[in-house]
C-alpha cells in the first residue's frame, strides 16, 4: 500500500477499502508507517470523516492489532461497562460491585485518567495495597471466585490504539466520532466480555459537547457491539457539571463507598444505580431493564453491594477496612476553602473547568507520564441550583499548598452565580438498547 495515495484518497473524500485499512493498521503497528504520515491521515479523517462501514473495518483491524482476551472459561455472561470519560465519574466503583452482587461476572480492564478526566485505575490505587496489575490467569481466577476483577489494560490489547491515541492527542484529532468509536470499541471487543454497557457522556466536561454528537457516537458504538455479537447498550448522560461532590482519586473512592451505603449524593446514586441495573439486564440476571434497576436499588439497600465491594478490594490486596475508615487512604498535605464573594444561586458549575482545577491540585495528569497526588482534589459543597451566601464555602480543595492556591482561582471561574433559580437538569438523557 502506498500511504501517500491513501492519505490523498481520504483527503479528497474517498472511501477506503478493507485492504487499505488493514494495511494501514498493520503498517503503524509494525512501525513501518512513519508518525508524520499517520498524523496527516488522521487529519484527513478528521475533516472528511469515515462512514459506518469504514469505521467498522477500522475497529476490527485495531481490535486484532494485539491480543484478544479469551474469557470463555468463566461461566456466565461477562459484562463490561465503559464511560467515555467525565469529571467526578466514579460509577465503575459502584456499578461493578452491584452487578457482581446480582450474579453478573464483571471482568473489567480499565484505564488511567488523562487531562481533566479521571480513570478507574488511579482511583483504585488510592486504596492502600490494591493491585491493579494482574496476570490474565489471576484476573480470570478472581472473576471465577468473586464474580469481579478490575485490572489495568494490558499493553498488548489493541496495540494500534495506543499509537493512534498518542498521535491524536498531539494533533488535535481526538474529537472525530469514527476515531473515538474505533478507539473505544477496539479495546472493549478485545477485552473479551460478552456484554458491553456504554456510558456516553455529553456536556462541557465530555468529549461530546452536544446531544447530537453524543447520540451519533452512542448509536455507532451500539451498532458495532451488536454486529460483533455482543449484547450492547448505551446510556447518554449529562456531564455539564461534575458527578457527585468529589473530584479526585481518594475523595472519589470515599464517595463511592457512601453511595454503596445508601448515603451518597443523589446524582451519582441515580446514574450508578441505572448503570448497575443495565449491567444486570445485559448480564441476563433481570428480564427487563426496569427489573435490573430495581435489583440494583435493592442491592444497595440490603448492603450486598458494599459487601461485594469489600470482597473485591480484599481479593486484589486492598485493605477492606476502608469501607469503615476512609482515612486509611491518607490525607492531602493541605486544604483550603473557596468561599463565595456574593449572595445568589449557583446557575452553573462547569464540569470542564472543575476538572481542570482538580487536575491542577495534582489529582490529574497533564501527560501519560505525569505523577499524580492520589489524595488531591476537590469536594464540592455547592452545585447548580444551590443557594449561597457571601462568605459561604463553595468547595474545599486538597493537595499541595501552592497548587491548591492556583487551582482555587480556576475553580472560582467554574462557578457562575446569579439570582434566578436555574431549570433542573436531566441526568439521564437517553438510553439505547434498554
Ligand atoms: N476513550 C477512548 O478510549 N478513546 C477515545 O478516543 C476517547 C475516549
Amino acid at each position: 500500500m502506498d500511504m501517500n495515495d491513501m492519505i490523498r484518497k481520504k483527503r479528497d473524500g474517498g472511501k477506503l477499502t478493507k485492504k487499505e485499512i488493514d494495511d494501514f493498521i498493520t503498517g503503524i503497528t509494525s512501525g513501518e508507517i512513519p508518525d508524520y504520515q499517520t498524523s496527516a491521515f488522521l487529519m484527513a479523517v478528521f475533516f472528511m470523516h469515515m462512514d459506518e462501514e469504514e469505521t467498522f473495518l477500522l475497529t476490527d483491524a485495531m481490535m486484532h492489532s494485539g491480543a484478544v482476551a479469551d474469557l470463555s472459561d468463566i461461566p456466565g455472561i461477562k459484562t463490561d461497562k465503559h464511560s467515555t470519560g467525565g469529571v467526578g465519574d466514579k460509577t465503575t466503583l459502584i456499578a461493578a460491585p452491584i452487578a457482581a452482587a446480582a450474579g453478573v461476572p464483571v471482568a473489567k480492564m480499565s484505564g488511567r485518567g488523562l487531562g481533566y478526566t479521571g480513570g478507574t485505575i488511579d482511583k483504585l490505587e488510592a486504596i492502600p495495597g490494591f493491585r491493579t496489575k494482574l496476570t490474565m490467569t489471576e484476573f480470570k481466577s478472581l472473576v471465577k471466585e468473586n464474580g469481579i476483577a478490575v485490572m489495568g489494560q494490558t499493553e498488548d490489547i489493541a496495540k494500534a490504539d495506543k499509537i493512534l491515541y498518542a498521535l491524536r492527542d498531539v494533533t488535535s484529532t481526538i474529537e472525530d466520532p469514527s476515531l473515538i468509536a474505533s478507539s473505544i470499541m477496539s479495546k472493549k471487543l478485545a477485552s473479551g466480555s460478552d456484554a458491553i454497557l456504554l456510558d456516553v457522556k455529553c456536556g462541557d466536561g465530555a468529549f461530546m459537547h452536544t446531544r447530537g454528537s453524543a447520540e451519533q457516537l452512542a448509536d455507532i458504538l451500539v451498532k458495532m457491539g451488536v454486529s460483533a455479537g455482543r449484547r450492547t447498550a448505551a446510556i447518554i448522560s449529562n456531564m455539564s457539571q461534575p458527578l457527585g461532590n468529589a473530584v479526585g482519586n481518594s475523595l472519589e473512592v470515599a464517595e463511592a463507598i457512601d453511595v454503596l451505603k445508601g448515603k451518597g449524593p443523589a446524582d451519582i446514586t441515580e446514574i450508578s444505580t441505572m448503570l448497575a441495573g443495565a449491567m444486570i439486564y445485559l448480564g441476563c440476571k433481570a428480564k427487563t431493564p426496569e427489573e435490573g434497576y430495581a435489583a440494583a436499588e435493592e442491592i444497595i439497600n440490603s448492603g450486598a453491594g458494599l459487601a461485594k465491594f469489600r470482597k473485591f478490594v480484599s481479593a486484589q490486596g486492598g485493605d477492606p477496612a476502608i469501607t469503615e475508615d476512609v482515612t486509611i487512604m491518607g490525607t492531602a498535605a493541605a486544604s483550603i476553602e473557596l468561599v463565595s464573594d456574593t449572595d445568589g444561586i449557583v446557575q452553573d458549575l462547569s464540569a470542564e473547568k472543575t476538572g481542570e482545577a482538580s487536575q491542577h491540585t495534582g489529582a490529574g495528569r497533564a501527560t501519560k507520564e505525569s505523577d499524580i497526588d492520589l489524595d488531591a482534589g476537590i469536594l464540592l459543597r455547592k452545585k447548580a441550583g444551590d443557594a449561597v451566601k457571601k462568605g459561604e464555602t463553595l468547595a474545599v480543595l486538597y493537595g499541595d499548598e501552592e497548587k491548591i492556591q492556583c487551582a482555587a482561582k480556576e475553580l472560582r471561574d467554574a462557578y457562575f452565580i446569579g439570582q434566578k433559580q436555574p431549570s433542573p437538569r436531566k441526568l439521564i438523557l437517553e438510553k439505547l438498547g434498554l
Side-chain angles (χ1 to χ4, degrees):
M1 177 199 57
D2 184 328
M3 191 60 201
N4 198 17
D5 288 347
M6 186 164 138
I7 296 169
R8 190 181 312 108
K9 186 172 181 186
K10 189 38 80 185
R11 183 200 68 184
D12 295 343
K15 179 168 166 140
L16 303 173
T17 63
K18 174 168 167 44
K19 175 151 176 30
E20 283 167 330
I21 290 174
D22 285 347
D23 287 353
F24 168 63
I25 292 301
T26 308
I28 60 164
T29 314
S30 67
E32 208 180 300
I33 298 175
D35 286 356
Y36 54 83
Q37 284 190 312
T38 306
S39 301
F41 174 73
L42 290 170
M43 193 56 87
V45 172
F46 186 84
F47 282 114
M48 301 313 288
H49 308 292
M50 281 184 159
D51 68 11
E52 218 166 86
E53 194 183 350
E54 289 172 297
T55 309
F56 278 36
L57 291 169
L58 178 66
T59 306
D60 190 59
M62 286 167 69
M63 171 189 166
H64 291 103
S65 66
V68 175
D70 179 4
L71 306 180
S72 59
D73 55 330
I74 304 172
I77 299 174
K78 280 74 66 187
T79 302
D80 198 353
K81 156 202 174 282
H82 179 81
S83 156
T84 57
V87 179
D89 183 359
K90 67 281 294 171
T91 53
T92 293
L93 303 182
I94 306 160
I98 295 175
V104 175
V106 180
K108 181 154 175 49
M109 292 190 198
S110 287
R112 294 188 184 277
L114 186 61
Y116 64 79
T117 62
T120 301
I121 292 301
D122 294 327
K123 297 180 219 266
L124 287 171
E125 286 181 355
I127 302 172
F130 195 101
R131 288 193 313 123
T132 56
K133 281 197 189 94
L134 303 174
T135 63
M136 208 41 162
T137 315
E138 270 180 302
F139 178 62
K140 290 208 262 183
S141 58
L142 283 169
V143 182
K144 280 186 202 161
E145 279 159 37
N146 300 317
I148 177 169
V150 179
M151 68 185 272
Q153 183 117 31
T154 58
E155 280 301 308
D156 53 356
I157 292 277
K159 281 185 180 165
D161 179 59
K162 292 187 181 63
I163 299 162
L164 290 177
Y165 197 93
L167 288 174
R168 286 165 61 209
D169 202 24
V170 292
T171 56
S172 282
T173 51
I174 289 276
E175 294 93 344
D176 176 77
S178 296
L179 297 178
I180 295 181
S182 53
S183 166
I184 293 174
M185 289 309 279
S186 59
K187 289 176 289 205
K188 290 289 112 185
L189 295 172
S191 301
S193 281
D194 308 303
I196 304 167
L197 175 65
L198 299 146
D199 180 12
V200 178
K201 301 290 188 197
C202 170
D204 89 326
F207 282 118
M208 298 296 153
H209 286 199
T210 64
R211 181 83 176 257
S213 60
E215 281 170 4
Q216 191 191 353
L217 179 62
D219 182 59
I220 191 152
L221 292 172
V222 172
K223 278 185 184 150
M224 268 192 225
V226 170
S227 83
R230 319 286 167 99
R231 278 170 71 81
T232 311
I235 291 177
I236 302 178
S237 63
N238 199 331
M239 191 29 81
S240 57
Q241 70 168 344
L243 265 181
N245 299 331
V247 185
N249 300 292
S250 62
L251 297 171
E252 293 192 39
V253 171
E255 189 168 81
I257 292 169
D258 280 345
V259 175
L260 287 166
K261 288 181 175 174
K263 49 181 200 186
D267 59 349
I268 183 72
T269 302
E270 179 187 349
I271 177 98
S272 304
T273 311
M274 177 118 332
L275 290 165
M279 289 175 80
I280 295 170
Y281 165 69
L282 288 174
C284 292
K285 294 290 173 187
K287 285 193 199 71
T288 61
E290 288 66 33
E291 213 181 88
Y293 310 140
E297 237 175 78
E298 175 49 30
I299 287 168
I300 294 182
N301 294 338
S302 69
L306 185 70
K308 185 56 91 175
F309 179 84
R310 282 174 66 86
K311 208 162 196 184
F312 157 56
V313 167
S314 95
Q316 290 195 218
D319 187 346
I322 192 166
T323 56
E324 302 319 310
D325 180 11
V326 293
T327 63
I328 64 176
M329 283 189 285
T331 34
S335 66
I336 50 167
E337 296 194 3
L338 172 69
V339 295
S340 176
D341 45 22
T342 178
D343 287 347
I345 299 170
V346 179
Q347 310 288 302
D348 196 15
L349 170 60
S350 157
E352 182 179 16
K353 288 188 178 143
T354 308
E356 282 167 357
S358 171
Q359 181 188 338
H360 298 145
T361 62
R365 306 191 163 71
T367 70
K368 273 190 178 161
E369 287 72 36
S370 324
D371 284 331
I372 55 169
D373 176 351
L374 293 171
D375 299 315
I378 299 170
L379 269 185
L380 301 162
R381 296 263 177 87
K382 300 285 176 186
K383 290 178 66 179
D386 290 341
V388 60
K389 294 220 171 309
K390 185 173 176 178
E392 211 180 341
T393 304
L394 292 169
V396 186
L397 295 96
Y398 298 87
D400 166 82
E401 178 88 52
E402 216 173 295
K403 286 186 181 163
I404 57 178
Q405 292 289 354
C406 297
K409 292 196 188 96
E410 290 180 279
L411 187 59
R412 181 173 299 283
D413 290 341
Y415 277 96
F416 174 49
I417 298 172
Q419 299 309 319
K420 286 191 316 219
Q421 186 65 44
S423 33
R425 293 161 193 240
K426 243 176 119 180
L427 181 59
I428 313 291
L429 301 175
E430 212 170 308
K431 295 181 211 155
L432 278 81
L434 292 168

